[in-house]
Amino acid sequence: MAKSVLDILIKLSKQGNADKQVEQGLFKLKAAFSDAAVVAGTLVAAGYAVKKGFDATVGTMVQYADQVRTTSRATQLGAEESSRLIQMTDDLGVSYEGLEKAIKSSSDTTDFSIAGLMKTSEEYLKITDAQERAKFAQKQYGKAWIEMVGVLEKGPDAIRAASDAIDDNLILTDEAVKQAREYEINIDNLNDSITGLKIEIGSQLLPVINQLVEAHKVENRAIEQEVELDR
């Protein structure tokens, strides 16, 4: 694509009697693109494999760290406790989306720590009437009470066991969450810099391109006039 655009610009520069330095620069740029294409073709497959591996490791960790950070901010729990909460509820059948919904509905009034969930579960199981249980769960978790019932029904012992069984690799520290956030910020800043560089290059190229196009338009008009005179 870039090479074909350069071919057009070179053609226009010749037709429009552009500055020789501009024309030579375009030729050199075209040659550079040709050399780069050979290298790029070799690296495409390798680059794809690296990206897949990167997404499966760093990308997964950063995404999980974002969930832990969001949960921690909403519940006022530390990163490690938030990690346990996410993993424990997932093991007991509540997706992160369901947990997030419950937290948004009731984090101001409900204790989402492991100990807090154990206590809530114990109180829930003491209620024998089904309707009263539903009212209790709804009071604790708002509109997300149906999702959280699956955890409450398991009982405090099951909640504790599920929490204790979580792999240590899934428990993020505050420092790990901080590092993941710094990575996101650095990547965002890098993307901003790249975008700024593209805009700067485009701004410098536009006057040259406009000059070539205008020269081409003038030459076309001259040719059309000559054709009219020949008639």
Side-chain angles (χ1 to χ4, degrees):
M1 177 64 180
K3 185 178 177 181
S4 62
V5 171
L6 285 171
D7 287 334
I8 294 172
L9 292 177
I10 291 172
K11 182 178 179 181
L12 290 174
S13 67
K14 289 180 178 179
Q15 293 177 348
N17 295 320
D19 185 271
K20 288 297 181 181
Q21 189 174 1
V22 172
E23 187 175 328
Q24 290 175 0
L26 291 173
F27 272 115
K28 291 180 180 179
L29 191 57
K30 178 183 176 182
F33 270 116
S34 298
D35 293 339
V38 176
V39 177
T42 305
L43 294 178
V44 165
Y48 177 77
V50 169
K51 182 181 184 303
K52 295 292 287 185
F54 186 85
D55 290 342
T57 53
V58 175
T60 298
M61 190 277 178
V62 170
Q63 182 180 27
Y64 179 49
D66 180 66
Q67 294 178 350
V68 172
R69 183 174 61 255
T70 300
T71 300
S72 177
R73 185 166 55 240
T75 61
Q76 300 302 305
L77 298 173
E80 295 185 26
E81 184 79 356
S82 296
S83 300
R84 288 190 179 280
L85 174 62
I86 293 171
Q87 295 302 322
M88 181 274 294
T89 51
D90 180 71
D91 290 342
L92 296 183
V94 179
S95 67
Y96 172 73
E97 289 72 24
L99 174 62
E100 185 179 35
K101 182 180 176 182
I103 290 172
K104 287 181 178 179
S105 298
S106 56
S107 61
D108 292 339
T109 57
T110 301
D111 183 359
F112 278 89
S113 67
I114 301 301
L117 284 172
M118 290 173 63
K119 182 179 179 181
T120 303
S121 174
E122 184 177 12
E123 293 176 0
Y124 174 84
L125 293 176
K126 287 180 180 179
I127 303 172
T128 56
D129 183 76
Q131 289 186 345
E132 290 301 317
R133 277 189 174 185
K135 288 181 181 178
F136 175 82
Q138 189 171 15
K139 181 180 178 180
Q140 294 294 321
Y141 303 110
K143 295 180 180 179
W145 70 273
I146 295 178
E147 286 90 341
M148 294 303 295
V149 161
V151 174
L152 300 182
E153 288 178 339
K154 298 297 191 300
D157 291 340
I159 292 174
R160 171 57 67 192
S163 174
D164 291 342
I166 296 170
D167 191 312
D168 289 342
N169 291 328
L170 296 174
I171 307 300
L172 298 187
T173 63
D174 290 325
E175 180 62 24
V177 173
K178 179 182 176 182
Q179 290 295 325
R181 182 54 184 158
E182 287 182 3
Y183 166 82
E184 288 183 295
I185 294 172
N186 287 333
I187 290 297
D188 184 63
N189 290 338
L190 176 61
N191 288 335
D192 288 344
S193 297
I194 293 174
T195 300
L197 180 60
K198 290 178 180 178
I199 293 173
E200 181 180 357
I201 293 173
S203 299
Q204 294 177 1
L205 281 176
L206 279 176
V208 177
I209 294 174
N210 287 334
Q211 179 185 1
L212 294 173
V213 172
E214 287 298 324
H216 185 62
K217 287 166 61 178
V218 170
E219 184 170 350
N220 281 345
R221 285 196 294 268
I223 294 174
E224 290 172 359
Q225 291 174 357
E226 289 181 5
V227 171
E228 290 295 327
L229 290 174
D230 290 340
R231 290 180 182 177

